[in-house]
Amino acid sequence: MRQRGRACVVVLGDLGRSPRMQYHALSLARQMSLEVDIVAYGGSKPHDAILEHPSIHIHTMTQWPTVPQGLPKLLRPMLLLLKPFIQFLMLMWFLCVKISSPDIFIVQNPPSVPTLAAVKWASSLRHSAFVVDWHNFGYTLLSLSLGRSSCFVSVYRWFEKCYGKMANGALCVTQAMQHELAQNWDIKATVLYDQPPEFFHPTTLEEKHKLFCRLDKGLRQALGIQDCVINGMERHNTDETLFTTQVGNDVFLKPNRPALVVSSTSWTPDEDFGILLEAAIMYDRRVAAILNEDDSTNEEILWKESDRNQCLYPRLLFIITGKGPEKEKYEEKIRRLRLKRVAFRTMWLSAEDYPLLLGSADLGVCLHTSSSGLDLPMKVVDMFGCGLPVCAVSYSCIEELVKVEKNGILFSSSSELADQLLMLFKGFPDECDALKKLRNGTLEMGLSARWATEWEEHAKPLISEVISQHTN
C-alpha cells in the first residue's frame, strides 16, 4: 500500500511549552521527510524552527476556559465530566476532519484523558498507526491533588493503562519508566532520552551582551523593597549591562558582576520553589555570619576582597523562568524579603532568548521531583546543552541524567542547596575552582549528545517499523 508520507503530533496542552513534541515534529519533517500536522493548544510561541519549516502545519484548538472562582460546589463535578467530553469531541473534529489522513499519530502522555481515547479512535477511523510518547504518568499527576487512594485516580490509571496498551508503539524518557511499563503495564517501550537540539549551545560574549541589553530593563526592576543588584548600580551608558561592558568592538564581563543562577519552573506542587527560596535566605545569612557582619554594613559594597589572595562570596541573582499557578504566591513572599546578597527576577522568555540565557548563566537549579519518580526534567537537558552545570533535587532516577560531580550536584534539602551555593561560588568569578570543574565536565559530556542523533538511533527505527507494519 502506498504511504501517504504524513504524520500528526498531538499535544493536549500549550505547544510552546511542549519542547519534546516540537522536536518530534522537526525530526519527522527533517529526518523522515514527512509532512507534519501538529494539533495542540495555543498560548506560548513555539520555536521559530517550527514556525518556519514548510512541512510543519500547526492546527490550534480552543482552550478550555478557566473555571470561575465563585462557582457553586455542586456544579464542579459536572464540569469535571463535561471538560473531557468537550475535549474529546474537539480532538475528534481536528484529528478526523481538519487534518489530512496521516500514516501515524504521535501523542504526548500525560494528559491521558481524553487524549489517548481520542487518538485511538481517530487512528482506527483513519486507518493510521499511533505511538504514545510517555513523558510521565497521568494518574500520578492527578494524585498530587486528590491523593493516591482516590477512586478517581484508580479509574484514571485503569484508563491510561487500557488505552496505552492499544498503541502500536511506545516511547518513554527513562530506563526506569521503560521497566515500569514492561513489568506492570505490559507495554514495551523504547527509551528516547531527551537531548538538546542544535539551538541549545554555549553563548558567546557578544550574544551575552546583546541578550543582557534586551533584558536590561526587566533585570533592573527590583522584585521587592531592597535589592542588592540595582542599589547603587546605576547604568552609565547604553554599552553597559549588569554583567557586561562593551568598549569599541570588544565585550568584557564585569569583575564585580553578580553570579547568575537560572531556574526554570512550572510553579506547581511537584516543583517546590520554597526549597530554592529557603536556600537563598540561608546563603544570605551564612555569608553574613562568615564575614561577621552587622546591620551597619554598607549594603552597596557587597563584593570585595578580604585580602589580595581571597575573594569573598558574590551577590547572587536568581532568574526564575516559567509560568504556573503558584507564581504570584512566591513573588509576594520574595517582595517581603530583605536580603543583602541575593535578588530574584521572574520572567518568561522567547524560545530564542531562553537558550541564550542558559548559556549566559553561571549555574542552573532544578526543583523537579517527578510525581512518578520515573521521568527526567527536560530543563536540565537544555542546561547541559548550553554548557551550564546544575544543582538538582535528588530522586530515584535522576542519576540517569545528572552525573554527580561531573556535570552537576544533587541535593535533598534547602540546607544542602545553600551549602552547595557557598561551595561553588566561593572565589567567584575567577577562583571558584569547583564551579569551573563542573562547567568543564558539562561541556565535555553535554555537547556530544544531541536530539537529532538520539532520535535517529532510537525513535526513527520504531516509527518506521510501526508505519511499515500498519500500511502493509
Side-chain angles (χ1 to χ4, degrees), residues 1 98 191 195 200 206 373:
M1 182 181 295
K98 292 280 286 184
V191 178
Q195 300 290 1
F200 283 87
E206 290 75 16

Side-chain angles (χ1 to χ4, degrees), residues 400-416:
E400 288 191 40
L401 177 61
V402 179
K403 309 303 178 184
V404 177
E405 296 186 0
K406 293 182 179 179
N407 57 10
I409 309 177
L410 302 178
F411 62 88
S412 299
S413 66
S414 54
S415 180
E416 277 189 90

Side-chain angles (χ1 to χ4, degrees), residues 223-244:
L223 190 61
I225 300 173
Q226 182 172 319
D227 194 284
C228 68
V229 170
I230 61 171
N231 288 350
M233 299 287 288
E234 295 297 327
R235 189 179 187 184
H236 301 295
N237 58 70
T238 56
D239 292 329
E240 182 181 9
T241 73
L242 291 173
F243 301 92
T244 58

Side-chain angles (χ1 to χ4, degrees), residues 107-137:
V107 57
Q108 170 185 294
N109 185 77
S112 314
V113 178
T115 324
L116 295 183
V119 174
K120 172 57 184 174
W121 285 35
S123 67
S124 297
L125 290 170
R126 309 207 76 171
H127 306 290
S128 306
F130 97 96
V131 168
V132 178
D133 188 18
W134 295 83
H135 298 193
N136 200 347
F137 292 110

Side-chain angles (χ1 to χ4, degrees), residues 15 22 25 36-42 45-47 50-53 55-61 94 99:
L15 178 61
Q22 292 185 58
V36 181
D37 295 296
I38 302 177
V39 174
Y41 288 143
K45 177 178 170 285
H47 198 278
I50 294 286
L51 299 175
E52 295 169 0
H53 200 290
S55 296
I56 297 178
H57 318 280
I58 300 175
H59 307 266
T60 304
M61 298 183 292
F94 273 83
I99 67 169

